[in-house]
Amino acid sequence: MTIPAGPPPTGSGDGERGRLKLLAVTACPTGIAHTYMAAEKLAQAAESRGIDMKVETQGSIGAENVLDDNDVSTADGVIVAADKDVDLSRFVGKRVLTVGVAEGIRHPERLIERVLSAPVHTGGGAIRPASREGGKERSVAYKALMNGVSYMIPFVVVGGLLIAVSLSLGGHTDPSGGLVIPKDSFWMDVNNIGVIGFTLMVPILSGYIAYAVGDRPALVPGMIGGWIANTGSLYDSKAGAGFIGAIVTGFLAGYLVLWIKKVRVPKFVQPIMPIIVIPIVATTTLGLFFIYVIGKPISWVFEHLTDWLSGMTGTSAILLGAILGLMIAFDMGGPVNKTAFLFGAGLIATGNQTVMGMCAAAIPVMPLGQGLATLIRKRLYTEQERETGLASLFMGCFGISEGAIPFAAARPAQVIPANMLGGAVAGAVAGVAGVEDAVPHGGPIVAVLGAVSGVPMFFVAVVIGTLVTTLTTVTLVDISERKRRGAPVVGGDVLGAEPALVGAGAVIPQQAVTGAATTGASAPAAGTEGSAGATPAEADDDPDGSCPVLSGYLTEQTVKVALDARDKEAAIREMAGLLARSGKVAGGDELVRTALRREEQGTTGLGEEIAIPHAKTDAVSAPVVGFARSVEGVEWGSLDGTKAKLVFMIAVPEAAAGDEHLRILALLSRKLMDAGFRERLTAAADEAAVLGVLAEIR
């Protein structure tokens, strides 16, 4: 938190220093262009005022120019221009001004003036950036939820895939019912490791939601609260509260810790508050509250829900199948899901296998539907979500509904209704077709192993339910994203919502960016044809002996001094044609479509008459960069309203393993903030001169 303060601190207080010393931290969600643009703008504004400033950038390649204890101790103020959480604990006792990263780009002078009267930071760990103009700022609750989901995803993937592999390679149907793996076998050990991953999944989700809300003291109560929520035996529930219970305990723990922090305590107690007092009090309070207050009602509700389902066995099979499908899909392994599952499994012993057949058809619909959605509408998902979608598809084939949990946790308002609709359809189709399942498990794996009767209709039910979930999900997510964006997003990163070029880069060897470009009208030097991580072109590729520009990804072939296009789409098409000269573009139309889809998510116009459209697509065989100038400028929806006169286009393969292109993009974005560099680039007479200017990038 912050409190009002008196006169500005004087840093070290040695009385000898006449210049102000300020610090800054810049960060954006994908950590590429705007992180460095804000850093450069702040540094330039400080230099023009005779102020010493050191800027730490927290980009996708990691933190650079990190502020050390000596920097902080002598600083007069700290500017944090970020659109993601930044740890402020190191700035206690200093004036701290927190704003969105776009403010660092657009109004650096204003921020320098404001920081001198900013409140002094006295505690708390992470910022909540000021709302950005243009587009809606994500809420604190949303950011906390995303924090929990991001930490949970590896546990879901590892646990789910290990269980699926162990079931497929070591499992078999048992006459007494169930899909079993022999005890004391190798595959049982693999299965147990996967179960541990799934067991940790829920407390991890809860713990890191709490951490995002209440910082480090909230981590322990959040994780323990999540474990309690997932352990139904602690409050007389057979199923537990699952991931929904974890979300509840995560927020309860976080806000409980925030409330405890506000309690005034004696000075001698203050040092042990965050490491002893707060975690113990919060953990005990939350745990007992869940066990005695929330847990008991949960147990009562689901016991009566089971009794109600038992009374429906004689009613319409379509209605019963739809209800069971809704329940299976609602919380994917949580109490509602388990109530329906245990109801179906319990009836197998009585000879009624149709109820389990309905459940078995609904179980894989959620992970299959969400995984398929990431494939058919890639632009709606981040790279990490698309990778999780592939794992989700695999888990769905083995009846592991938890594979869809990351998507439901990230977008509950869109994903859960879509899941429930698809699950209800699958359950109803299986019910009307009389599909039977002899084992308490679901998904295509049970049909492959011969535990299902009516196999064709079972797969029809699964396919129809999956398609319903997929189509409903992409429709709802698309509508939600359009509503959220509203106006063009201002302040978003150059890579926007789709981190097409995410990764951690290594420093480009200096020889890759020094030296003059090739001269004359001779054939241009060929760029490297390797992966994104390829080393710069060798001397054999550059007969003039000069070093390749931007690792050889940009050559005279991909430079045009006068762009003909007058609008954005035409400019992107012209730039794609320019890239095609390199011989690395296999599908020009697909490259254009990918770049235009990226523009729909948010403009790649950076302001200062610059635009950097980009695409990650298999329409290119290797990374390639193009540059063109427009005399009149192209309307690009830039941050500052200027038309784009300097246009760079970057294209990399979808499966590019390297990350040198990230370093190039970061260096390029930073260098383009230098007005003198832009002037030289604008004044360059021909392609060779342009390459010479770009070789200044270090």
Side-chain angles (χ1 to χ4, degrees):
M1 67 178 182
T2 56
I3 59 173
T10 56
S12 62
D14 56 17
E16 298 177 0
R17 182 162 51 89
R19 289 164 63 102
L20 282 173
K21 180 177 180 181
L22 299 179
L23 304 179
V25 180
T26 62
C28 52
T30 51
I32 305 185
H34 286 182
T35 296
Y36 302 100
M37 291 171 64
E40 197 71 17
K41 284 289 188 180
L42 286 167
Q44 290 174 0
E47 184 178 2
S48 68
R49 284 162 174 72
I51 297 173
D52 292 328
M53 175 176 281
K54 181 176 180 180
V55 186
E56 174 183 309
T57 55
Q58 296 188 4
S60 61
I61 55 178
E64 296 179 287
N65 204 32
V66 177
L67 307 177
D68 57 33
D69 292 342
N70 185 59
D71 294 324
V72 175
S73 66
T74 59
D76 295 307
V78 183
I79 298 170
V80 179
D83 287 335
K84 67 177 186 178
D85 289 347
V86 173
D87 184 8
L88 299 185
S89 59
R90 52 185 166 158
F91 302 136
V92 170
K94 296 294 178 180
R95 294 184 180 276
V96 178
L97 175 65
T98 59
V99 297
V101 71
E103 286 296 298
I105 298 172
R106 302 177 67 183
H107 306 296
E109 300 87 356
R110 185 186 305 172
L111 298 185
I112 290 174
E113 294 173 0
R114 289 173 56 192
V115 73
L116 299 178
S117 59
V120 173
H121 184 64
T122 61
I127 70 162
R128 302 294 182 257
S131 178
R132 295 172 288 172
E133 299 176 20
K136 298 178 181 177
E137 175 67 20
R138 294 294 198 181
S139 66
V140 172
Y142 179 86
K143 292 179 180 179
L145 188 60
M146 291 303 96
N147 193 59
V149 170
S150 66
Y151 281 100
M152 176 189 69
I153 285 175
F155 291 85
V156 176
V157 173
V158 171
L161 293 183
L162 288 179
I163 291 173
V165 168
S166 63
L167 283 171
S168 62
L169 299 180
H172 59 81
T173 55
D174 190 271
S176 61
L179 229 144
V180 299
I181 301 172
K183 293 182 179 180
D184 301 324
S185 69
F186 170 79
W187 294 114
M188 177 57 76
D189 292 333
V190 174
N191 183 271
N192 289 337
I193 295 172
V195 169
I196 291 172
F198 261 12
T199 304
L200 291 173
M201 170 187 72
V202 174
I204 288 293
L205 172 63
S206 177
Y208 281 97
I209 289 174
Y211 178 84
V213 175
D215 201 39
R216 295 173 188 171
L219 185 60
V220 171
M223 285 195 174
I224 294 179
W227 189 284
I228 292 172
N230 201 40
T231 310
S233 60
L234 294 174
Y235 46 92
D236 299 327
S237 171
K238 293 180 180 179
F243 89 95
I244 293 179
I247 293 174
V248 173
T249 56
F251 282 110
L252 286 177
Y255 285 107
L256 177 60
V257 166
L258 288 181
W259 179 79
I260 296 174
K261 285 181 178 179
K262 296 179 181 179
V263 177
R264 294 183 177 274
V265 297
K267 288 187 177 180
F268 72 89
V269 180
Q270 291 178 358
I272 63 172
M273 284 291 288
I275 59 174
I276 298 178
V277 178
I278 293 177
I280 290 177
V281 172
T283 301
T284 305
T285 303
L286 176 63
L288 294 176
F289 177 75
F290 204 94
I291 291 172
Y292 290 107
V293 179
I294 301 178
K296 295 289 185 180
I298 289 175
S299 176
W300 182 88
V301 167
F302 293 112
E303 285 176 2
H304 285 73
L305 188 58
T306 302
D307 294 338
W308 175 66
L309 286 173
S310 299
M312 287 189 63
T313 53
T315 61
S316 168
I318 296 178
L319 178 60
L320 180 59
I323 292 174
L324 289 171
L326 286 170
M327 295 175 66
I328 288 289
F330 175 66
D331 55 0
M332 295 149 285
V336 178
N337 173 285
K338 282 190 171 68
T339 296
F341 180 84
L342 293 174
F343 172 64
L347 290 178
I348 292 176
T350 68
N352 184 345
Q353 299 177 357
T354 57
V355 175
M356 192 62 222
M358 302 172 193
C359 296
I363 284 171
V365 163
M366 300 79 72
L368 292 177
Q370 297 305 322
L372 184 59
T374 65
L375 294 180
I376 68 171
R377 294 297 293 277
K378 291 182 179 181
R379 70 177 181 81
L380 297 176
Y381 297 91
T382 65
E383 188 171 7
Q384 183 187 43
E385 286 176 321
R386 293 196 294 270
E387 292 173 357
T388 304
L390 295 176
S392 180
L393 285 169
F394 190 75
M395 284 185 259
C397 292
F398 291 90
I400 302 173
S401 59
E402 287 87 348
I405 286 179
F407 301 99
R411 300 182 176 94
Q414 293 79 39
V415 172
I416 292 179
N419 284 347
M420 293 175 67
L421 183 58
V425 170
V429 172
V432 75
V435 172
E436 295 184 350
D437 181 10
V439 299
H441 198 77
I445 183 65
V446 295
V448 172
L449 294 176
V452 170
S453 65
V455 172
M457 287 307 299
F458 172 80
F459 279 107
V460 167
V462 171
V463 169
I464 293 177
T466 297
L467 291 176
V468 169
T469 292
T470 299
L471 297 176
T472 306
T473 297
V474 296
T475 300
L476 293 178
V477 171
D478 191 36
I479 292 173
S480 174
E481 287 300 307
R482 291 178 185 275
K483 286 182 178 179
R484 183 182 70 81
R485 289 198 302 267
V489 176
V490 177
D493 191 57
V494 65
L495 297 184
E498 180 185 359
L501 305 177
V502 168
V507 177
I508 295 179
Q510 186 171 354
Q511 66 267 27
V513 292
T514 56
T518 49
T519 57
S522 60
T528 56
E529 295 291 340
S531 68
T535 57
E538 300 294 337
D540 290 342
D541 294 322
D542 191 0
D544 292 338
S546 58
C547 295
V549 178
L550 298 178
S551 296
Y553 303 146
L554 189 149
T555 68
E556 284 191 47
Q557 291 174 306
T558 58
V559 172
K560 190 172 185 179
V561 294
L563 193 67
D564 297 324
R566 295 294 181 266
D567 61 73
K568 183 194 294 189
E569 181 174 347
I572 287 176
R573 292 187 181 279
E574 189 172 344
M575 292 299 296
L578 188 63
L579 297 187
R581 295 181 186 176
S582 67
K584 301 175 184 177
V585 178
D589 290 341
E590 177 58 27
L591 173 59
V592 170
R593 284 193 293 269
T594 303
L596 290 176
R597 284 198 298 268
R598 171 59 190 84
E599 294 295 331
E600 291 176 4
Q601 298 178 2
T603 180
T604 56
L606 305 185
E608 302 287 359
E609 301 182 338
I610 303 163
I612 310 182
H614 51 272
K616 190 171 186 180
T617 171
D618 288 332
V620 296
S621 59
V624 58
V625 180
F627 169 73
R629 294 190 311 228
S630 173
V631 177
E632 296 181 2
V634 178
E635 181 56 55
W636 219 281
S638 299
L639 291 172
D640 57 2
T642 59
K643 292 184 177 182
K645 294 185 178 180
L646 304 176
V647 181
F648 290 84
M649 187 167 184
I650 301 173
V652 298
E654 182 74 35
D659 46 31
E660 190 174 347
H661 56 280
L662 266 183
R663 173 64 66 173
I664 291 173
L665 182 56
L667 292 174
L668 187 61
S669 301
R670 177 183 286 160
K671 188 64 176 177
L672 284 169
M673 292 301 99
D674 182 347
F677 177 79
R678 295 197 304 272
E679 290 174 1
R680 290 191 295 278
L681 195 57
T682 301
D686 54 23
E687 287 82 358
V690 167
L691 291 176
V693 175
L694 290 175
E696 297 177 18
I697 297 175
R698 299 290 190 272

